[in-house]
Amino acid sequence: MARKIRMGMVGGGRGAFIGGVHRIAAAMDGEIELVCGAFSSSPEKSIASGQDLMLDPDRCYADFKEMIKKEKKRKDRMDVVSIVTPNHMHFEPAKLALENGYHVICDKPVTFTLQEAKKLKDIIQKTGLTFALTHNYTGYPMVKEARQLIRNGALGKIRKVVVEYPQGWLSFPIEKQGSKQAEWRVDPSKSGVAGAVGDLGTHAENLAEFVTGLRITELCADLSSVVEGRVLDDDANILLHFDNGAKGILHCSQICNGDLNGLNIRVYGELGSLHWRQETPQYLHHKSIDGHKIYQPNVGKLSDEANANTRIPFGHPEGYLEAFANIYRNFARTVRKRMNGEEPTALDLDFPTIDDGIRGMQFIETVIASGKQCKWTKFKS
């Protein structure tokens, strides 16, 4: 198949931040082409958004059902569907797309409820199609290097994990002042049972498990709705136990005034520790009582996984968009090979899947259950 992967998009229309991010990420490596979309729950806005993107007017659809139905009749039909809607609108488009033969890449958290996530896994297994979840922070080269260092025993046995995701943009009730990005995130009918935990905590949980290779077995959560009038949590402090006996701390917040996007992780083992911050993603710090080493993309000997997800020469920081693009590129290469009857490589398959999505939804439900009484609660997978 000597052509680009053809992509349709659900959501991400006028005024939507994340839609633009996904489109840039999809286009960055020249392997995917946006050909159609249903960009809004408003038919008029959806069509206008497609026109803004200079798409064929016949492929700017009023809703995702029309898009999936009409694309199926085209000889140049889309191959994959990208879903970038608020949480409550993930399951139905993903289900319909898969049932009609389209591969799917979806924003996180994967669905509105854990039950939906499990149903989606059944559909993916039944169809045999490719599904990717955009836990984009796992796309950073130095995050992949951290994972490989731990796999190779650089830290010895892991003893403690500290992962944080503080933001401050919801320090005030901007949802009452017309902020659409804030409105749906604090609305249980759109966001689900969690606020900061669903929006940020799932990224922190996914990063901790991805880097360490460990699994959370139980947790104890202290949740708060700090801004008056909010129904959902905007601050969470969570103690963790991992399956190897390690202990951890996960903190996520939308009310840490002064923090912008402070995702960071520290992993402590018997032989040393690893430290990584999303705001300075090109540096991975490896510390011990014997010294301090800094890993950087394209500097020195790195793992195949880190090198495969590095694009630019040393000294130029790989950022958020590049990390996002790594997920899209690996997804596209997997889809292409499967469409050609070929087997994807391990490097092609290096992207989050429905299983990561289910872990995220289970994390949300476990945190909410624990937070109601602030007691230790088993993490059932």
Side-chain angles (χ1 to χ4, degrees):
M1 185 181 70
R3 62 168 176 82
K4 294 185 178 183
I5 300 293
R6 295 189 286 256
M7 185 178 82
M9 179 169 279
V10 180
R14 287 179 174 178
F17 157 74
I18 202 65
V21 170
H22 278 257
R23 288 189 289 272
I24 293 169
M28 191 172 289
D29 290 286
E31 298 202 23
I32 299 175
E33 178 185 12
L34 179 68
V35 298
C36 64
F39 299 100
S40 173
S41 57
S42 160
E44 295 78 18
K45 185 177 178 181
S46 177
I47 293 170
S49 297
Q51 292 171 345
D52 290 345
L53 297 167
M54 292 181 284
L55 296 179
D56 180 344
D58 290 338
R59 303 181 83 172
C60 302
Y61 299 106
D63 58 57
F64 72 87
K65 294 179 181 178
E66 181 189 27
M67 180 181 78
I68 290 170
K69 179 181 177 181
K70 289 188 175 180
E71 282 293 310
K72 199 170 183 180
K73 297 177 181 178
R74 298 181 64 102
K75 290 183 179 180
D76 60 347
R77 56 174 273 180
M78 64 183 177
D79 303 303
V80 305
V81 175
S82 172
I83 301 171
V84 298
T85 57
N87 305 353
H88 71 298
M89 282 298 294
H90 287 181
F91 177 72
E92 288 298 334
K95 175 179 180 291
L96 192 61
L98 290 162
E99 290 174 342
N100 282 272
Y102 301 108
H103 306 274
V104 172
I105 184 165
C106 183
D107 209 19
K108 51 61 61 187
V110 66
T111 51
F112 192 62
T113 66
L114 176 60
Q115 184 181 17
E116 285 182 347
K118 290 181 176 179
K119 285 182 181 178
L120 195 59
K121 181 175 181 177
D122 290 340
I123 296 168
I124 293 165
Q125 291 178 330
K126 183 178 179 180
T127 62
L129 294 166
T130 304
F131 181 92
L133 188 67
T134 53
H135 271 301
N136 54 292
Y137 300 109
T138 64
Y140 280 106
M142 291 300 95
V143 169
K144 295 185 184 297
E145 183 67 16
R147 177 180 62 171
Q148 289 305 121
L149 286 168
I150 289 172
R151 282 179 174 176
N152 294 337
L155 300 190
K157 183 180 179 181
I158 303 304
R159 292 172 168 172
K160 185 171 184 175
V161 181
V162 180
V163 61
E164 302 171 307
Y165 202 155
Q167 292 180 347
W169 72 293
L170 290 180
S171 293
F172 301 97
I174 61 174
E175 63 271 21
K176 298 178 181 178
Q177 300 164 11
S179 171
K180 292 184 178 180
Q181 293 298 318
E183 284 174 2
W184 75 261
R185 282 178 168 84
V186 303
D187 182 351
S189 70
K190 294 181 174 65
S191 183
V193 296
V197 169
D199 197 30
L200 307 177
T202 50
H203 273 308
E205 168 266 328
N206 179 258
L207 184 65
E209 293 195 337
F210 178 86
V211 168
T212 66
L214 303 178
R215 291 292 178 264
I216 300 167
T217 57
E218 61 179 349
L219 55 82
C220 183
D222 180 12
L223 305 181
S224 301
S225 299
V226 175
V227 174
E228 186 177 354
R230 283 201 184 133
V231 177
L232 300 177
D233 58 278
D234 53 19
D235 185 78
N237 301 281
I238 306 166
L239 298 176
L240 308 172
H241 286 169
F242 291 90
D243 56 3
N244 76 328
K247 297 185 178 181
I249 302 168
L250 188 156
H251 152 61
C252 62
S253 181
Q254 296 162 322
I255 52 86
C256 287
N257 198 328
D259 272 310
L260 301 177
N261 207 59
L263 177 64
N264 70 89
I265 186 168
R266 287 161 277 161
V267 181
Y268 299 91
E270 57 188 351
L271 304 179
S273 61
L274 293 175
H275 305 244
W276 179 83
R277 297 187 64 85
Q278 196 274 154
E279 292 179 339
T280 53
Q282 69 271 33
Y283 301 118
L284 172 65
H285 298 264
H286 184 184
K287 301 179 182 181
S288 74
I289 57 175
D290 296 319
H292 180 183
K293 180 176 181 179
I294 301 176
Y295 292 87
Q296 299 177 68
N298 272 326
V299 177
K301 186 177 180 181
L302 299 175
S303 65
D304 291 342
E305 289 76 8
N307 288 327
N309 290 278
T310 298
R311 290 181 169 78
I312 51 182
F314 59 85
H316 297 79
E318 303 250 355
Y320 176 78
L321 293 173
E322 288 87 354
F324 230 113
N326 285 336
I327 305 294
Y328 266 92
R329 183 200 58 199
N330 295 347
F331 168 72
R333 291 180 179 176
T334 296
V335 167
R336 183 183 303 280
K337 287 185 177 180
R338 287 175 172 167
M339 290 174 70
N340 289 338
E342 303 169 10
E343 280 297 317
T345 67
L347 292 177
D348 297 328
L349 293 165
D350 190 9
F351 55 81
T353 68
I354 185 62
D355 290 326
D356 297 286
I358 289 174
R359 289 288 296 178
M361 295 309 301
Q362 185 65 70
F363 173 77
I364 291 171
E365 294 204 358
T366 306
V367 169
I368 296 303
S370 172
K372 289 178 179 178
Q373 300 180 54
C374 199
K375 71 174 185 178
W376 285 99
T377 304
K378 295 292 183 183
F379 191 127
K380 299 176 182 178
S381 58

